[in-house]
Amino acid sequence: MARDPAFPWRLRSGLVLGAWVLVGAWAPCQGDTVFLKNGLVFISQGTPDKDNSLVYIWDGLKRVVVRDSKIDKTVADNALRTGERFTLVQPIVVLGGSMPKEVLSVEAGPWDERGRRRFRYLGSKSARPLSMEQAIIEIGPHIVRYRGVDGFWWPGLVETNQVPRPVMMALLGRVEQSNAGERERVVRFLMDAGWYPEAKQELERLIKDFPGTDLSERAAGARVFIIQAEATRRRSEIDQRRKAQQEQAVARLLKTFQDKEISTELQLEVRELERRDAQQRAADKALAIELRALSDRLPSRARAPWQKRLVEVLQAIDEAPDAVRGRFAAWQKAKTDAALTAEGRFALAMSGYVVGHDAAVPDLAGAEALWQARDGARAYLAGGELAERSSSAAQLEGLAWPTAAGIPDPVHRLELLTRLVQLMPPPRHDGQEAPGKTILHRVLEDQNAEPTEYAVRLPPEYHPLRYYPTLIVLHSGNGPAAAIDEWAAEADRHGYVLVAPEYNLRGQPHDYRYTTSEHAAVELALRDARKRYAIDSDRVFVAGQLIGGNMAWDYALAHPDLFAGVVVISGLPAKYVPKYLPHHERLPLFYVIGDLAPAANEVVFSRYVKPAIQKTWDILYVEYFRRGLETFPEEIPRAFDWMDRHHRDPYPKAFKAVSARTSDDRFYGVVIREFKPGFTTAPEAADILGQNLNPAEIKMSSSSLSNLIRLDVKGVRRLDVWLSPKLIDFKRKPEIRINGRSYFKGQVKLEFEPMLEDLRIRGDRRQVYWHRVAAE
């Protein structure tokens, strides 16, 4: 039967077409709140299930699986959880077919004003994609239920915030407008959903449409609740923006607590925050004034060489005081030292700016050498011809570096150089940054016939003197710009740099092939971005959805020393991933999939993820009900929340690694230069689950007591061992043992160029090595 477009949404001639069935509140239910040790919080419907050491948390949409040892506490919520819901009767046009057991791909169109959308999927037994229409049948403040209406009955769930608000408001607008009770339920629904602007608007309409009733008192209480809830949310957002290093956004938010209905306690808290921030701004301004006055007290002969440098320092205090104010602690502490001259105090301030307060020196000659060293190091790291780099290194060797009692000069010089490169702006910083915009870069030092390109997006209030967490997003065939767009909103809010490499070669079908060239594209993009932007290498993550998820899982496990964690959304384990899974001992994983994805439960979870969780590795598994291989955009905010709680350990005292591909050659300073025959397998020759791989193995342990690095290797013919001051005391003779044999033992000759060349290539200023030992 064709539908009359003018047909009202109500009962007519005994036929229900899209009619609202008005029901009461949600059936009350109790649940638990689960607090993880890393700070994440999950709400469970009822008590979480437990299977030995595994805990299953079901929230009505998905189950989250964690190891019990990762849980800090579980709080039983004795209060009954309720919420308004509305049931929309959507008649079935055609009924036939059956629910697929596996869904390989999904294409969902937008929801329309009737609560319907077109839906295409490819099942594992389908020769071609199948299309159907889905319709929303129940709306709750947190969960929306839908089903198929022109095919088989496909029961599905989605978070309420995944339905566009205009669509939701159109559906809610279908309630009987003359019924004040139903209109009140709409307001309560919007309040429960946290849609406060819409709730406020509907409340005002309700008051206007029903004057002179007993509604006024309830409406006044609801308005106060909405205003206070909005204020509480803004207060939380202040903490988030401050953590994201966005002080201007914080200042704007602090000025939004003017409503008299906001609680006195919260208003006092906000006023105190404003007072502290104003006090800090005044202190920063006074610091700059004091430094300029100190400069004016120097003799003109001594002052002249420092004018340009002083401008740089004052600009830094003005633009990014939070990033630099701590560098002046030695100068500030010495203000009461009557024996220290103005020149000595100025030297403490200016040297502290480039090497940090605890390495600041009280003489201008030493401070001059440190500034020259910083400029020389930046020139080396920015690139240039070999002869130019060698000249820069020679100039660094010839400087009159400050000395330190009890520390050999070569060791102290490298300590200072390490501080310099970690505190200076990125070596290729050019002042042309454009926060909030997607910029395309070509890797400068890429010698390939087809140069590597990548897109980058900087967060609001980006400044090169701050360090920023970074997310490498791997596209699923739709290009780097689309990948940036998918993650941009939350990246901006959390203060992340986004880097999206183009790993597909021109003219190739969009897919991931597990090749060394694809890996090279990502690594070259990351290295180039580190040299241009202030990337915190200890907080770099990699993420991907669908095909990009396949690559993210493989790439992260192949290069675990690059990342603080990996987010895999609808990615499947193949080729090298099953053999590399032990790397998750050091590489946290956030994994999301739908239960209709191919072999989601019996293979992905049971064979691979579950055993890893049981080993107490840092893994969070999320599985959605009645969903297939999808992009799950609703998980992106939670992914950032998860990433915010993780950091890389750049210098583990011990680790184990395997490698079966020539590109997978670096693990925390141990670099494979040549594999033995039979220990690597080309991607095209690797079994789908990697059963024919015979990977090389590396096991490293270190001892600070004996100044020893011990390596046990299999399948490796040649390797390099890079030595870090975090693991080796260079004031003593270190030893390297390989497969039980002492390979190197003696005093290391420390020079600038090996350290600088390694930094120039990798761009990782958080993971610095001083010396290389080549082992044949």
Side-chain angles (χ1 to χ4, degrees):
M1 166 178 175
R3 181 182 174 190
D4 179 354
F7 195 84
W9 286 34
R10 56 182 175 82
L11 288 176
R12 181 178 178 183
S13 301
L15 179 65
V16 180
L17 285 181
W20 286 104
V21 178
L22 304 177
V23 300
W26 287 100
C29 64
Q30 293 178 324
D32 290 349
T33 303
V34 181
F35 297 84
L36 302 190
K37 292 177 180 177
N38 64 10
L40 293 176
V41 179
F42 294 98
I43 306 298
S44 171
Q45 278 193 6
T47 301
D49 293 328
K50 191 168 182 180
D51 176 15
N52 294 321
S53 61
L54 298 186
V55 178
Y56 298 78
I57 306 166
W58 168 253
D59 68 358
L61 281 168
K62 61 185 182 296
R63 66 169 182 167
V64 176
V65 186
V66 296
R67 174 71 190 252
D68 55 3
S69 60
K70 302 295 182 182
I71 296 175
D72 179 39
K73 61 181 178 179
T74 300
V75 178
D77 188 352
N78 293 321
L80 296 181
R81 292 182 178 149
T82 62
E84 298 291 349
R85 70 173 180 178
F86 299 92
T87 300
L88 179 61
V89 176
Q90 300 270 19
I92 293 178
V93 179
V94 177
L95 181 60
S98 59
M99 187 78 183
K101 294 183 178 180
E102 292 183 343
V103 177
L104 301 179
S105 66
V106 166
E107 293 180 23
W111 295 104
D112 64 21
E113 72 282 356
R114 297 182 301 147
R116 297 192 176 198
R117 70 178 183 183
R118 295 307 303 174
F119 182 80
R120 268 181 56 165
Y121 73 95
L122 179 65
S124 59
K125 297 183 179 180
S126 305
R128 56 183 176 81
L130 301 176
S131 298
M132 63 186 301
E133 187 174 36
Q134 294 178 330
I136 294 173
I137 59 173
E138 186 175 83
I139 299 173
H142 308 295
I143 297 175
V144 165
R145 301 177 186 272
Y146 59 84
R147 64 168 169 79
V149 294
D150 65 349
F152 56 85
W153 184 284
W154 181 310
L157 308 167
V158 69
E159 286 189 10
T160 299
N161 61 20
Q162 292 302 298
V163 179
R165 294 195 186 189
V167 172
M168 191 67 74
M169 296 306 297
L171 295 178
L172 292 173
R174 297 294 181 174
V175 301
E176 187 178 350
Q177 296 296 296
S178 61
N179 188 322
E182 293 306 307
R183 297 274 298 277
E184 276 193 79
R185 290 209 309 118
V186 170
V187 174
R188 288 198 298 270
F189 169 91
L190 294 170
M191 291 163 61
D192 289 340
W195 294 7
Y196 300 126
E198 292 81 2
K200 189 183 300 183
Q201 182 178 6
E202 287 301 306
L203 184 63
E204 291 171 354
R205 289 182 59 244
L206 181 63
I207 295 172
K208 180 181 178 181
D209 291 347
F210 295 93
T213 67
D214 61 354
L215 178 67
S216 300
E217 185 175 346
R218 295 196 303 277
R223 185 177 185 279
V224 171
F225 173 87
I226 292 170
I227 291 173
Q228 292 186 350
E230 284 183 310
T232 300
R233 177 179 289 175
R234 291 197 304 276
R235 175 64 186 90
S236 178
E237 189 66 12
I238 286 171
D239 290 339
Q240 179 59 59
R241 295 292 179 168
R242 201 183 295 277
K243 186 177 180 180
Q245 306 177 97
Q246 297 170 15
E247 294 301 322
Q248 295 174 27
V250 169
R252 290 192 296 269
L253 284 168
L254 286 172
K255 297 184 183 300
T256 63
F257 292 80
Q258 306 302 322
D259 289 287
K260 62 182 181 180
E261 289 88 352
I262 297 175
S263 69
T264 302
E265 181 181 6
L266 181 54
Q267 292 206 37
L268 290 174
E269 182 183 355
V270 169
R271 299 290 87 79
E272 176 63 16
L273 290 174
E274 284 188 302
R275 185 193 68 79
R276 291 178 186 175
D277 288 352
Q279 189 177 46
Q280 184 63 68
R281 287 192 295 271
D284 293 333
K285 184 176 181 180
L287 184 74
I289 293 172
E290 188 178 359
L291 182 57
R292 185 183 292 277
L294 183 60
S295 170
D296 292 341
R297 291 168 55 191
L298 300 180
S300 58
R301 175 180 51 81
R303 185 170 62 245
W306 291 96
Q307 291 307 302
K308 185 176 180 180
R309 295 165 180 167
L310 180 62
V311 170
E312 176 188 334
V313 174
L314 294 176
Q315 183 179 0
I317 295 173
D318 178 58
E319 295 177 352
D322 53 304
V324 299
R325 67 172 68 101
R327 304 184 189 186
F328 303 108
W331 162 45
Q332 294 293 288
K333 186 177 180 181
K335 286 194 298 184
T336 58
D337 186 351
L340 200 61
T341 65
E343 290 187 18
R345 292 191 180 96
F346 187 74
L348 281 173
M350 298 302 286
S351 62
Y353 177 78
V354 291
V355 293
H357 70 90
D358 48 355
V361 295
D363 68 280
L364 281 178
E368 170 73 23
L370 291 173
W371 275 82
Q372 290 181 8
R374 189 199 71 159
D375 294 342
R378 183 173 181 180
Y380 190 107
L381 297 176
E385 299 297 327
L386 176 60
E388 295 173 349
R389 300 200 304 271
S390 295
S391 176
S392 295
Q395 290 174 6
L396 288 170
E397 295 285 358
L399 290 175
W401 291 78
T403 60
I407 303 177
D409 285 349
V411 174
H412 187 54
R413 290 179 180 184
L414 279 177
E415 287 177 344
L416 292 174
L417 184 59
T418 301
R419 291 174 175 272
L420 288 168
V421 300
Q422 290 178 336
L423 292 178
M424 71 182 187
R428 288 182 178 159
H429 161 65
D430 59 8
Q432 302 300 310
E433 297 87 355
K437 295 183 179 179
T438 298
I439 304 169
L440 189 66
H441 285 302
R442 175 170 290 183
V443 175
L444 295 178
E445 296 177 351
D446 187 359
Q447 302 301 318
N448 294 315
E450 186 175 330
T452 300
E453 294 182 343
Y454 65 95
V456 67
R457 179 186 173 98
L458 303 178
E461 302 183 44
Y462 169 86
H463 195 279
L465 287 174
R466 299 182 177 115
Y467 272 106
Y468 291 86
T470 299
L471 179 64
I472 308 296
V473 285
L474 302 177
H475 68 80
S476 56
N478 48 0
I484 292 279
D485 291 344
E486 184 84 11
W487 297 77
E490 287 299 317
D492 285 356
R493 181 171 175 264
H494 287 259
Y496 278 63
V497 174
L498 289 179
V499 177
E502 178 51 87
Y503 60 88
N504 284 144
L505 295 176
R506 297 182 193 277
Q508 285 188 343
H510 295 307
D511 200 357
Y512 175 56
R513 299 169 179 80
Y514 297 82
T515 63
T516 58
S517 66
E518 292 166 314
H519 281 220
V522 178
E523 187 157 10
L524 286 170
L526 175 57
R527 288 180 174 185
D528 193 76
R530 282 171 173 164
K531 299 168 191 176
R532 297 178 191 263
Y533 302 110
I535 288 175
D536 183 350
S537 295
D538 288 342
R539 292 186 293 163
V540 174
F541 301 83
V542 60
Q545 300 154 294
L546 302 171
I547 293 171
N550 295 346
M551 184 177 187
W553 205 353
D554 177 56
Y555 187 83
L557 285 172
H559 309 275
D561 68 325
L562 294 179
F563 302 111
V566 53
V567 178
V568 178
I569 299 179
S570 292
L572 298 175
K575 301 282 185 177
Y576 303 89
V577 171
K579 290 290 186 181
Y580 287 8
L581 283 174
H583 293 174
H584 278 310
E585 183 175 7
R586 307 199 58 80
L587 179 70
L589 168 66
F590 183 101
Y591 187 82
V592 183
I593 200 166
D595 67 347
L596 297 179
N601 218 295
E602 59 270 27
V603 176
V604 177
F605 179 70
S606 299
R607 186 183 299 183
Y608 299 129
V609 178
K610 180 179 179 180
I613 297 176
Q614 290 173 325
K615 293 177 184 291
T616 72
W617 296 347
D618 191 346
I619 293 177
L620 190 68
Y621 178 84
V622 180
E623 183 181 281
Y624 274 80
F625 177 69
R626 288 292 185 264
R627 304 280 289 274
L629 287 177
E630 305 179 33
T631 59
F632 295 104
E634 58 266 50
E635 284 299 313
I636 289 178
R638 281 183 281 270
F640 277 99
D641 193 20
W642 178 85
M643 288 186 287
D644 279 347
R645 303 165 195 278
H646 289 84
H647 287 73
R648 175 187 70 168
D649 177 4
Y651 308 105
K653 297 184 182 300
F655 69 84
K656 298 177 183 178
V658 298
S659 177
R661 182 171 34 196
T662 55
S663 59
D664 311 342
D665 57 359
R666 187 178 187 111
F667 304 94
Y668 305 100
V670 178
V671 183
I672 302 173
R673 291 302 181 194
E674 184 181 354
F675 290 86
K676 290 182 178 179
F679 287 89
T680 60
T681 304
E684 61 272 16
D687 288 348
I688 187 62
L689 293 179
Q691 295 175 336
N692 66 331
L693 301 183
N694 179 34
E697 300 175 4
I698 297 174
K699 181 180 179 181
M700 188 280 280
S701 61
S702 61
S703 169
S704 57
L705 183 63
S706 55
N707 218 28
L708 170 68
I709 289 181
R710 182 184 294 107
L711 289 169
D712 293 301
V713 301
K714 171 189 170 185
V716 177
R717 178 167 287 168
R718 292 189 303 122
L719 56 81
D720 290 343
V721 182
W722 284 89
L723 304 181
S724 164
K726 297 294 184 179
L727 296 180
I728 288 295
D729 181 359
F730 283 93
K731 298 188 291 294
R732 300 157 51 203
K733 295 179 179 180
E735 180 182 4
I736 298 174
R737 293 180 191 166
I738 301 177
N739 290 341
R741 181 172 67 91
S742 181
Y743 187 85
F744 173 88
K745 187 174 184 180
Q747 196 64 50
V748 173
K749 183 181 179 181
L750 292 176
E751 298 175 311
F752 290 129
E753 196 156 7
M755 167 190 161
L756 288 171
E757 184 64 11
D758 179 58
L759 270 178
R760 183 189 71 84
I761 293 171
R762 295 187 299 114
D764 189 342
R765 293 186 286 155
R766 295 292 204 190
Q767 189 185 61
V768 178
Y769 298 102
W770 285 5
H771 185 74
R772 177 179 68 93
V773 175
E776 300 289 339

